[in-house]
Amino acid sequence: VNELRSIGIQPDIIVARSSTAIDDSIREKIALFGDVEKRAVINVPDARSIYHVPLMLKEAGLDTFLVEHLHLPEGTTDIANWVHLCERIDHHDTAVRIGIVGKYIALPDAYVSVTESLRHASLAAGVDLDIVWVSAEEVEKGAFDLSTLDGIVVPGGFDGRGVEGKVAASQYARHHLLPFLGLCLGMQCAVIDIAREALEAPDANSTEFDPATRHPVIDLLPEQKAISDKGGTMRLGAYPCHLVQGSRAAAAYGTDVVYERHRHRYEFNNDYRKALEETGVVMSGLSPNGNLVEIIELPSHPFFLGTQFHPEFLSRPHRPHPLFAAFIDSARQHAHEHTPSKTPASTQANPSRTATRKA
């Protein structure tokens, strides 16, 4: 407060952060030294979740104070939906363990859109979300037991570090019928995984990671191959995606066309579309001209789906993204039906249980 005054600013409201709620004597002291009304001292103690903070601010009277101070028209505030959201946070029937397999797990805020999308879907489903941070490099070494999870998410990313671990996570999810959601690079890793096994092409890869691969199942868009200056050449922003009727993606969205946001340069290589379709892969989301594969899925799997776009950008607390909602619903079913400890990570997959067949 003194620093503000030193530059000629007098605060009207003071927000007091604390680990526990402050009492009236402390509030009065802050108001006295800050030269504000006592009710203008808004205490924000630690909350059970970030979604409880708006309720705390309303209970502290911040909304009423602001309306009066700014001479805004008075009205009624209806936050029943938000109250209901927080009630769902506090009461869950089931817990699901979702592993996020990435290389930035030491900085989890790098995946905050993904974690919040999972949280939104979990709240809507009435389940408790237990996020497990899984190092892709540890999976690559075989040092993490994926059998303890109820679902796997492989988010986006760049460059080759940890990619083989993400491919291995996709393979594990396929073989053990574990719900899987791949986002952008996550979808590309799933395509690499499926192609290596189903097409008997162990060197299948993305040219981003192996420019010399004989089976570039993920490659640059043709119009970008001659571009040397990569600045601004990414596919960015919202693009339409046409969904295949009868697919899991179409069932989740409940519509035929959606608009989703992108951030990438590499795409599914159409030279391999027919071969992978013959192994059971469904290209369930396509660009309007049919040239770009936006979604892949395995109908023989409880839930195995990858998107070239980033659905996490469009999820909201009261409106979870349909694909995240479908994924969490499948993970909840897995948690109900399975005892993870019965499936050790070292167990070899039974070929009859894999979700793709060889071409």
Side-chain angles (χ1 to χ4, degrees), residues 293-305:
V293 174
E294 302 277 27
I295 307 175
I296 64 122
E297 61 183 67
L298 300 177
S300 58
H301 191 285
F303 189 95
F304 192 101
L305 187 145

Side-chain angles (χ1 to χ4, degrees), residues 262-296:
H262 297 68
R263 183 178 173 80
H264 62 96
R265 295 184 72 235
Y266 289 80
E267 298 270 1
F268 180 93
N269 187 343
N270 284 323
D271 290 344
Y272 293 86
R273 185 187 295 191
K274 182 178 179 181
L276 284 176
E277 286 177 334
E278 290 176 351
T279 71
V281 180
V282 172
M283 317 299 172
S284 58
L286 302 170
S287 61
N289 62 9
N291 288 339
L292 301 178
V293 174
E294 302 277 27
I295 307 175
I296 64 122

Side-chain angles (χ1 to χ4, degrees), residues 56-69:
M56 293 168 54
L57 294 175
K58 178 172 177 54
E59 185 177 355
L62 178 61
D63 55 343
T64 302
F65 185 88
L66 286 174
V67 166
E68 294 178 7
H69 186 73

Side-chain angles (χ1 to χ4, degrees), residues 157-224:
F158 292 92
D159 76 55
R161 181 166 65 88
V163 162
E164 289 302 321
K166 297 175 184 181
V167 172
S170 168
Q171 182 188 61
Y172 183 92
R174 278 194 307 112
H175 285 192
H176 294 81
L177 303 182
L178 188 66
F180 176 89
L181 180 61
L183 309 173
C184 196
L185 176 60
M187 184 201 90
Q188 296 176 2
C189 289
V191 170
I192 293 169
D193 158 42
I194 294 169
R196 286 179 179 178
E197 181 177 302
L199 303 183
E200 297 183 342
D203 72 327
N205 214 324
S206 167
T207 52
E208 180 180 8
F209 314 128
D210 181 6
T213 176
R214 292 180 302 165
H215 296 283
V217 292
I218 304 296
D219 200 4
L220 280 173
L221 293 171
E223 59 269 25
Q224 291 192 347

Side-chain angles (χ1 to χ4, degrees), residues 127-174:
V127 298
D128 188 23
L129 175 65
D130 180 10
I131 292 177
V132 181
W133 295 103
V134 183
S135 166
E137 291 166 287
E138 290 297 300
V139 175
E140 187 174 344
K141 298 173 186 175
F144 189 91
D145 185 4
L146 296 173
S147 71
T148 63
L149 305 174
D150 297 309
I152 291 175
V153 176
V154 177
F158 292 92
D159 76 55
R161 181 166 65 88
V163 162
E164 289 302 321
K166 297 175 184 181
V167 172
S170 168
Q171 182 188 61
Y172 183 92
R174 278 194 307 112

